[in-house]
Amino acid sequence: MFAICYTALTLTTIAMLALLPSGKRKTVLVFSALFFGLIGFMMTPRANMYTDTVRFFDTFDEVRSFAATGLEDAWRYLMDTCGYNSTPVIGAIMFLISLQPENGFLTLLAATVDIGAGFYLCFKQSNNGMNKRSLIANIQGSAGSCE
């Protein structure tokens, strides 16, 4: 299902870029990146597969259980036990996301930043969106490589 949503959103983005004037192309890319983030938010990894996402989601659940006794306990668990003391910025992001009721905020953030950065590079490569053919080819190439 997610592959169908991903493909449909990619094709819609390419069609909108082809039809809209150059001033609106940046807006299309920003909203497309947000929609890719929403697709990421809805994704939940399968429990029987061991991936980084499953490990992160398990960490979020554990930190949430420690946060019930106190935020300082949750912070210390994340930093000391989980090993995020060497990367405090990532630890802070993990801590803030673990305070949310949904684990999907991690995939929302990751997908939006990842796709948004790719779209930004494609936009800059196409002379700030002025070269429509180059922009569409770059978007198609970058989105097609992820499928």
Side-chain angles (χ1 to χ4, degrees):
M1 180 180 117
F2 291 109
I4 293 170
C5 292
Y6 186 91
T7 303
L9 185 55
T10 301
L11 293 175
T12 303
T13 301
I14 290 171
M16 290 176 68
L17 290 172
L19 297 174
L20 289 174
S22 62
K24 305 282 183 183
R25 292 184 188 139
K26 188 184 250 183
T27 306
V28 168
L29 295 177
V30 168
F31 280 108
S32 292
L34 290 173
F35 284 124
F36 275 108
L38 289 176
I39 292 172
F41 180 77
M42 293 183 286
M43 290 182 162
T44 304
R46 290 184 228 149
N48 59 354
M49 295 180 70
Y50 187 76
T51 61
D52 284 339
T53 308
V54 172
R55 184 172 52 86
F56 290 143
F57 281 16
D58 290 344
T59 301
F60 291 149
D61 294 337
E62 292 168 2
V63 171
R64 257 188 225 106
S65 67
F66 278 100
T69 61
L71 293 178
E72 186 176 336
D73 293 337
W75 178 259
R76 291 201 187 286
Y77 172 78
L78 188 64
M79 289 296 138
D80 298 335
T81 306
C82 295
Y84 286 100
N85 53 0
S86 61
T87 54
V89 174
I90 294 172
I93 292 170
M94 294 285 285
F95 182 73
L96 292 174
I97 292 174
S98 71
L99 297 178
Q100 306 304 316
E102 285 289 326
N103 290 336
F105 285 104
L106 175 68
T107 51
L108 170 79
L109 177 68
T112 303
V113 169
D114 186 40
I115 297 293
F119 283 170
Y120 175 78
L121 291 174
C122 292
F123 185 77
K124 286 299 188 182
Q125 183 68 27
S126 68
N127 196 15
N128 288 334
M130 297 308 235
N131 186 344
K132 180 172 38 174
R133 182 170 294 173
S134 172
L135 178 62
I136 291 172
N138 288 334
I139 295 291
Q140 183 179 9
S142 67
S145 65
C146 296
E147 290 183 41

